[in-house]
Amino acid sequence: MGVDATTLANWLSSYDCDSITIGVVASHSSLQILHGARMEGFRTLGIAVGENRRRFYSAFPGAEPDEWLMLDDYREMLDHAEWFRERNVIIIPHGSLVEYLGAENFRNLEVPTFGNRGILYWESSRARQREWLQAGGCTLPKIIDNPHDIDGPVIIKYAGAKGGEGYFIARDYRDFRRNVNLEEEFTIQEYVLGCRYYMHFFFDPTATDGFQVQGRGELAGKNLGRLELMSMDRRDESNVDEFYKLGSLRDLREMALEPSFVVTGNQPVVIRESLLPRAFEMAEGTVSASFELEENARGMLGPFCLEAIVTDKLEFKIFEISARIVAGSKPFIGGSPYSDINEPFMSTGRRIARCLRKALNQGNILDIIS
Ligand code: AMP
């Protein structure tokens, strides 16, 4: 399903492209998106449930929306599609929007949206992510299909778990049985020991300069667009990040404590410069492979994040991809050590707005929305 190209073009033909409004659900990375949109000269709209949420934004006048749409439930956005379109709104999606609306509703929301909504289908299942990342030449942690085969540390992940909630580590089958919730769908992954890097990339298919992603298959020999590294973070995860302070895993088990992976914040990091070429190689492969995914001819578009562990052999293991702006880009509202090299004060939120601004000026807005 989703919105077809003709419908999208019809909607856009009635838009006043001189007064586009950037609309965003007031959560996740919205401060950065609103701030970036304003820096690129757009009007902004906040969508919120609850007066408290709206009031909170007055603490950040630099990002406070010009206008608010207050709802009782985010699903009411679906009934406001015409209202949005009458106001020339382009929605910037983020993780909370997809979660609040549900993937299917988001796909069918009848409002122009930045990026390719189709790619979220590939992002939404671990099996599909794996297929995509492997096709892109990424190295991934091993999967253990049969819990009886666990013979070293593994991490058990539940499908659709929010912020690592409910994940646990097991060393053998007994550990696994003791902690697993068999009612939920889960994946068992090799636990990779190393340092985590969440690499925030941006793919702009309308730019013909910079690091150009090379097409493959039917697109071989074509430059697909420009790949940029915006920033890198590491998540704060409670309580695993502080676990070591209480002793060994065995000591902790004696105290009936298990590590958990609930995201509570983010810290800026950079990676060894000699690792960057491999990071780009994998990001390029992921983008070019995205154009070959079934029912996804439009490929990757805009921000995405490769979530990696680097081992002491200096090998990357990519354990997840997010095909949209990630919350970990927030430490960089004022720019990052990577994006500053190209242009100061360029956050991912602002980069999205810049992409829209440029497309509006060039008359190719339909290439970057869905
Ligand atoms: P995810 O939901 O896949 O982003 O994983 C949440 C957190 O679990 C990550 O931020 C890591 O701290 C940890 N993690 C995920 N996969 C692995 C893995 N294969 N090995 C070690 N730690 C992992």
Side-chain angles (χ1 to χ4, degrees):
M1 284 264 282
V3 176
D4 64 65
T6 319
T7 311
L8 194 61
N10 275 341
W11 292 340
L12 256 290
S13 64
S14 58
Y15 266 43
D16 175 357
C17 287
D18 292 327
S19 59
I20 296 288
T21 294
I22 299 285
V24 68
V25 162
S27 183
H28 194 266
S29 43
S30 63
L31 284 172
Q32 180 191 157
I33 293 169
L34 291 162
H35 177 254
R38 185 179 287 189
M39 286 187 92
E40 295 299 313
F42 286 105
R43 254 184 83 69
T44 55
L45 169 77
I47 304 153
V49 169
E51 206 42 51
N52 265 352
R53 187 45 75 103
R54 166 154 77 175
R55 183 164 167 260
F56 156 77
Y57 281 75
S58 62
F60 299 97
E64 206 174 356
D66 296 311
E67 191 182 350
W68 282 98
L69 173 65
M70 299 305 296
L71 302 172
D72 293 322
D73 186 302
Y74 286 108
R75 282 166 210 258
E76 288 171 21
M77 281 176 72
L78 299 164
D79 309 323
H80 282 76
E82 212 174 317
W83 185 94
F84 286 120
R85 297 201 305 268
E86 278 164 3
R87 282 162 184 74
N88 310 306
V89 170
I90 295 179
I91 299 276
I92 312 292
H94 53 52
S96 299
L97 170 66
V98 181
E99 188 189 320
Y100 295 159
L101 281 188
E104 204 46 40
N105 282 336
F106 168 64
R107 238 177 133 172
N108 295 319
L109 179 67
E110 296 185 318
V111 187
T113 299
F114 177 77
N116 172 10
R117 285 189 253 185
I119 199 77
L120 290 162
Y121 166 77
W122 283 88
E123 190 215 57
S124 64
S125 116
R126 284 194 204 286
R128 283 193 292 268
Q129 277 197 13
R130 220 174 153 79
E131 193 185 324
W132 173 14
L133 290 167
Q134 275 171 337
C138 297
T139 35
L140 277 66
K142 281 201 279 292
I143 294 286
I144 290 92
D145 292 320
N146 182 347
H148 289 282
D149 294 339
I150 300 173
D151 65 353
V154 293
I155 180 164
I156 288 86
K157 304 178 174 189
Y158 293 107
K162 292 177 203 94
E165 228 175 315
Y167 289 10
F168 66 94
I169 297 173
R171 288 162 303 179
D172 49 31
Y173 181 71
R174 246 183 62 206
D175 264 2
F176 167 81
R177 270 311 305 214
R178 194 175 54 212
N179 289 299
V180 74
N181 175 359
L182 292 170
E183 313 264 289
E184 301 261 348
E185 197 189 320
F186 59 83
T187 309
I188 308 174
Q189 251 181 32
E190 156 200 19
Y191 187 90
V192 182
L193 197 55
C195 294
R196 292 167 297 128
Y197 298 92
Y198 301 74
M199 303 180 284
H200 318 145
F201 288 95
F202 193 95
F203 176 64
D204 183 347
T206 66
T208 52
D209 57 347
F211 184 104
Q212 285 290 312
V213 171
Q214 300 301 299
R216 321 189 311 186
E218 283 177 17
L219 298 172
K222 287 213 166 82
N223 287 344
L224 301 182
R226 171 168 152 178
L227 180 66
E228 292 162 48
L229 176 63
M230 300 303 299
S231 47
M232 246 180 243
D233 80 296
R234 178 170 307 152
R235 291 182 191 154
D236 288 331
E237 291 173 335
S238 186
N239 56 25
V240 69
D241 288 353
E242 302 296 322
F243 226 50
Y244 67 95
K245 289 181 181 160
L246 293 180
S248 69
L249 206 53
R250 184 161 298 133
D251 298 335
L252 290 156
R253 289 222 159 115
E254 277 165 17
M255 294 183 246
L257 292 171
E258 292 289 339
S260 53
F261 296 82
V262 178
V263 180
T264 55
N266 306 84
Q267 298 183 37
V269 288
V270 290
I271 204 164
R272 269 171 85 139
E273 202 155 306
S274 56
L275 291 172
L276 281 178
R278 174 68 184 139
F280 264 80
E281 189 177 80
M282 289 188 296
E284 176 179 30
T286 301
V287 172
S288 45
S290 73
F291 285 85
E292 296 181 317
L293 299 174
E294 211 178 308
E295 291 180 45
N296 188 51
R298 296 192 65 191
M300 186 63 236
L301 214 170
F304 69 101
C305 176
L306 290 182
E307 307 183 4
I309 297 172
V310 178
T311 69
D312 57 3
K313 305 274 180 307
L314 297 179
E315 282 167 351
F316 280 93
K317 299 276 172 149
I318 306 291
F319 59 89
E320 184 138 341
I321 179 168
S322 296
R324 48 167 173 79
I325 187 169
V326 286
S329 60
K330 282 181 295 196
F332 311 103
I333 294 187
S336 87
Y338 297 115
S339 62
D340 279 355
I341 297 170
N342 300 328
E343 184 172 340
F345 301 107
M346 186 54 73
S347 68
T348 295
R350 185 175 179 195
R351 186 65 186 78
I352 293 171
R354 173 69 62 86
C355 194
L356 284 166
R357 175 61 68 212
K358 215 178 68 191
L360 286 166
N361 291 342
Q362 292 172 350
N364 56 358
I365 188 79
L366 287 171
D367 290 349
I368 58 162
I369 58 174
S370 61

